[in-house]
Amino acid sequence: MKTKAAILRQCGQPMSIETIDIAPPQNNEVLVEVKASGICRSDLNSYFDPATPLPIILGHEGAGVVKALGKGVTHVKEGDHVALSWVPSCGNCFYCLKGTRQLCDTVAQHLFNGTLLDGTKRFTRDGTKIGHYSLISTFSNHTVVPAKSCVPIPQELPFEQACLLGCSVATGWGAARKAGNVQAGDHVAIFGSGGVGVAAIMGAKGARADKIIAIDRKLVNLENAYTSGATDSFLAPEANDKKSSQDLTAKIMKLTAGRGVDCAIDTTGHTAGFEGAWYATRKGGTIIVVGAYMAKTMSIPSTGFHQKAKTIKGCFYGDIDPYKDLQHLANLALQGELPLGSLIRRRVKFNELNDAMLALDDPKTCNMGRTVLTFD
Ligand SMILES: [Zn+2]
Ligand SMILES: [Zn+2]
């Protein structure tokens, strides 16, 4: 069949909107009509990354309707509404069998090589194959995905909200609830109040944390943090401003009886955020690292490291079970505990997609909530 998609043909150059051919789903695959797709910073990173296999259809936060099933698919049927996960865990590898499906080795092999799980492609234009991105390529009106990427969701949940579940919301909520294990009465500091940070704030609020302290460089993001459940907020210092960093730590100490928070979550992607999180955390507390750092190293003092007994934990895909927990998150959204609508700042069509992607890099507009590509 034919469908319309945004194709990245040259690294860093505008994606072109083209009509392409899409082959039927093969064994354990599903054809999905994408109704909405979030635009994530990882899409922009791949847009500029010379290692991205081209041509390719980006997009990895999607929701839509099941249109056709390949052989062997039994857990969804035509017409089901689904949120898409870019971690369709295999269930058979070492990590899946250990119960850490988000670390699935089979997924890791294919995530960035431009194919589906069997190493082949379903998209073509004039006979030339076009690559898949993060196994789900949601910047396309129709996409073929691994069956396990399809997570059935209630029909009442709007697609523009459901699409956010599979990346930013899973990552942020899971950082607080799964990796950070935030409990009622805890004090939590969340560095960065973009899509992931705000989802972490919602997760901490849902756990009934006492203090939820948001830290960000932009006032507008802190306002968003408040409406999502933060109890306190501070402007983040500029990079290398040691005095302001110390002041920030002192303010957090003052709010937490001089101890520091039980859990600090860094969603900034900057090592300064990690360092802030380290100093903000009490003895025996936990630091969760979510952002992908570009810097090669990060530093914390070695003196007294053992006495402080802090845990530093990297967190991939929110430490969630990609299938079970996405369904739970969809239900939390319907119950009002995850007000996903408040994360959406802008809705765009295909003709605005390139501008919306580049806006993620513009200091004036980046981090100001999620932009959603819609197809109707
Ligand atoms: Zn993402
Ligand atoms: Zn696996």
Side-chain angles (χ1 to χ4, degrees):
M1 66 174 285
K2 304 264 184 205
T3 196
K4 206 182 245 193
I7 303 175
L8 182 69
R9 292 190 173 278
Q10 269 188 290
C11 172
Q13 295 299 310
M15 294 171 282
S16 55
I17 312 305
E18 303 179 29
T19 299
I20 60 167
D21 293 296
I22 180 166
Q26 301 301 300
N27 293 351
N28 300 310
E29 294 174 358
V30 175
L31 172 70
V32 174
E33 180 185 357
V34 181
K35 294 288 192 179
S37 170
I39 303 173
C40 179
R41 196 161 179 96
S42 304
D43 294 312
L44 186 69
N45 291 346
S46 298
Y47 177 92
F48 283 119
D49 186 350
T52 301
L54 299 176
I56 197 166
I57 299 169
L58 299 178
H60 64 283
E61 275 191 353
V65 180
V66 171
K67 287 290 172 186
L69 308 176
K71 279 195 188 127
V73 183
T74 55
H75 78 291
V76 288
K77 60 183 186 310
E78 236 178 271
D80 279 357
H81 290 199
V82 289
L84 298 178
S85 162
W86 48 266
V87 186
S89 56
C90 74
N92 299 318
C93 73
F94 172 85
Y95 293 100
C96 286
L97 292 170
K98 290 279 280 183
T100 49
R101 287 172 173 265
Q102 77 280 9
L103 301 180
C104 175
D105 259 346
T106 310
V107 168
Q109 278 172 34
H110 294 282
L111 205 47
F112 301 114
N113 71 354
T115 70
L116 289 174
L117 290 172
D118 70 353
T120 65
K121 302 172 183 179
R122 305 285 166 268
F123 303 125
T124 48
R125 171 77 202 259
D126 298 333
T128 304
K129 299 273 184 197
I130 300 163
H132 299 252
Y133 180 68
S134 292
L135 298 162
I136 57 175
S137 284
T138 56
F139 291 170
S140 177
N141 205 174
H142 292 82
T143 187
V144 170
V145 303
K148 284 183 176 163
S149 287
C150 292
V151 181
I153 53 169
Q155 305 238 343
E156 307 90 282
L157 188 63
F159 290 115
E160 66 172 26
Q161 295 184 25
C163 75
L164 304 178
L165 292 172
C167 189
S168 55
V169 172
T171 302
W173 182 90
R177 298 293 281 276
K178 294 282 178 159
N181 194 24
V182 171
Q183 301 289 312
D186 278 358
H187 297 333
V188 185
I190 293 161
F191 289 73
S193 298
V196 175
V198 167
I201 288 168
M202 291 176 184
K205 187 182 179 200
R208 300 173 63 210
D210 270 3
K211 294 223 180 289
I212 304 173
I213 306 164
I215 299 108
D216 198 282
R217 287 198 180 145
K218 290 199 192 68
L219 269 177
V220 65
N221 286 352
L222 292 179
E223 285 163 17
N224 204 16
Y226 267 117
T227 55
S228 303
T231 58
D232 301 88
S233 71
F234 298 114
L235 274 174
E238 291 301 321
N240 304 320
D241 184 347
K242 207 170 170 187
K243 170 78 173 58
S244 299
S245 299
Q246 287 168 346
D247 288 349
L248 172 63
T249 304
K251 287 174 190 165
I252 293 172
M253 290 296 151
K254 203 171 165 192
L255 277 178
T256 55
R259 287 194 299 271
V261 295
D262 302 284
C263 177
I265 300 170
D266 180 30
T267 72
T268 64
H270 299 289
T271 51
F274 168 73
E275 286 158 21
W278 168 263
Y279 287 110
T281 304
R282 69 164 170 81
K283 280 192 291 187
T286 305
I287 297 111
I288 303 295
V289 173
V290 175
Y293 299 134
M294 301 304 278
K296 295 266 187 295
T297 58
M298 49 199 188
S299 72
I300 49 171
S302 54
T303 312
F305 182 86
H306 70 298
Q307 284 175 318
K308 294 184 179 74
K310 301 183 190 185
T311 300
I312 300 170
K313 195 172 177 204
C315 170
F316 184 68
Y317 207 58
D319 266 13
I320 68 158
D321 180 303
Y323 193 84
K324 190 176 73 174
D325 288 323
L326 284 194
Q327 287 196 309
H328 177 50
L329 291 174
N331 287 323
L332 288 181
L334 280 180
Q335 291 160 13
E337 188 175 319
L338 266 181
L340 300 181
S342 67
L343 292 173
I344 302 168
R345 281 286 165 278
R346 188 179 171 198
R347 294 162 183 84
V348 297
K349 300 290 183 194
F350 262 143
N351 61 351
E352 303 159 291
L353 178 59
N354 283 295
D355 286 348
M357 281 268 286
L358 294 175
L360 298 180
D361 232 7
D362 181 339
K364 288 198 206 85
T365 48
C366 66
N367 290 339
M368 288 169 60
R370 230 41 182 179
T371 301
V372 174
L373 171 68
T374 58
F375 294 87
D376 284 330

